[in-house]
Amino acid sequence: MTRKLSRCHAVPVAFAVATLMAAAPAQAVPGCNTSTAAAGNSTFTISHGGRSRTYRLHIPRNLVTPAAVVLSLHGLSSSASSQQNGSGWDATSDSAKNFVVAYPDGVDRQWNVAGFNPAVDDTGFMKAIVDHVAQRVRIAPNRVYISGTSLGGGFSHKMACTQANYFAAAAPVVFHLHSSPQDYVCAPSRPISVKEYAGTRDLLVRYEGGTSSVAGQTVTHLSANASFQKWAQLSGCTGSPVTTWSRLTANVKEYQNCAGGVKVGLASLSCGHGYCTDTSFGSPTADAWKLFQTQTTPGLPADACAR
């Protein structure tokens, strides 16, 4: 399996929800397109930040619009093609028929997080992709989600931390919030749903946290549980987490009483570094979509063509 890593850190932040939501900057809304491009897979090249950037797009047959958009990010040294083939998002999209999936390619197969690619505007690239998708599919701007594996998971954490007024929810896979290097501040502008999928036998991003070194970078991660608790704090969750699934040493826990009606979850799965499918639990992507489809971004329209 391709080794993928990223570092994402969370800085302790307490916030008043109403105040931060009011202070969140307005987001540009993608344009309206009333037609839908042909179903299937396509590769596009767009210009952003002085670079030619590529991404792959999957459109299911009989797509229901306005459609949600899922951004699925590969890990370190991997690619959009590998992410598309290995993540399971195409199959979930084909089954649901109400969202499309975009698979971006990172510059040098990296993302701007955890000390990698600090000069690359990957945040703007994500939004440029959604704008480009909106030229081909009628989308729902309030239903844009992000997920990623390893370093892509680290960038998913970063987007939830810094772009909560754009993304409706995030689902990082095998990457916890990191404490070093401190390359951004985790201060979401609103409570946001985040569900992490962690491998209890992961030897790269260890479940119990600690330091990982790869490709010349060293990252210190929180433990999976500490990352889970940090997101619960950031999203104003109260009470104790509920165990929604368990089998032997694997389980899924979720805070269900959080500010703004969001949910914060941790799936602790008996696997290593990568996507882990349990015959009882199912795939992380199918599970993530169950959360995603219940979440929207406040203040953004449900239909790019109804403004």
Side-chain angles (χ1 to χ4, degrees), residues 3 5 7 116 204 211-221:
R3 296 182 73 198
L5 174 65
R7 352 165 185 172
F116 293 91
L204 186 57
T211 299
S212 300
S213 296
V214 65
Q217 297 286 352
T218 300
V219 187
T220 302
H221 296 269

Side-chain angles (χ1 to χ4, degrees), residues 182-257:
Q182 295 189 350
D183 53 336
Y184 68 89
V185 175
C186 190
S189 59
R190 65 172 180 92
I192 182 171
S193 289
V194 176
K195 188 169 187 177
E196 181 182 331
Y197 299 82
T200 58
R201 293 183 280 111
D202 194 332
L203 298 179
L204 186 57
V205 179
R206 294 181 179 274
Y207 186 82
E208 63 273 18
T211 299
S212 300
S213 296
V214 65
Q217 297 286 352
T218 300
V219 187
T220 302
H221 296 269
L222 303 182
S223 68
N225 188 62
S227 184
F228 175 44
Q229 296 300 327
K230 174 54 61 178
W231 275 116
Q233 174 192 342
L234 291 168
S235 287
C237 303
T238 59
S240 299
V242 175
T243 299
T244 60
W245 174 86
S246 65
R247 188 178 75 87
L248 300 176
T249 60
N251 61 73
V252 178
K253 295 184 178 181
E254 185 175 77
Y255 280 96
Q256 299 179 337
N257 185 20

Side-chain angles (χ1 to χ4, degrees), residues 2-8 73-78 83 106-117 122 146-159 172-176 178 183-184 204-205 214-215 217 219 221 273:
T2 303
R3 296 182 73 198
K4 314 165 187 178
L5 174 65
S6 153
R7 352 165 185 172
C8 163
L73 279 64
H74 62 74
L76 179 66
S77 80
S78 190
Q83 182 72 2
V107 174
D108 297 329
R109 303 188 176 215
Q110 303 175 3
W111 302 109
N112 181 346
V113 68
F116 293 91
N117 281 359
D122 282 324
I146 190 163
S147 182
T149 315
S150 194
L151 190 63
F155 193 77
S156 300
H157 276 298
K158 180 178 179 179
M159 291 298 92
V173 179
V174 293
F175 201 96
H176 323 317
H178 65 269
D183 53 336
Y184 68 89
L204 186 57
V205 179
V214 65
Q217 297 286 352
V219 187
H221 296 269
H273 192 71

Side-chain angles (χ1 to χ4, degrees), residues 122-142:
D122 282 324
T123 299
F125 179 44
M126 298 300 118
K127 298 177 182 181
I129 288 174
V130 175
D131 288 344
H132 197 258
V133 169
Q135 297 173 24
R136 286 149 186 81
V137 175
R138 184 171 182 169
I139 74 165
N142 69 340

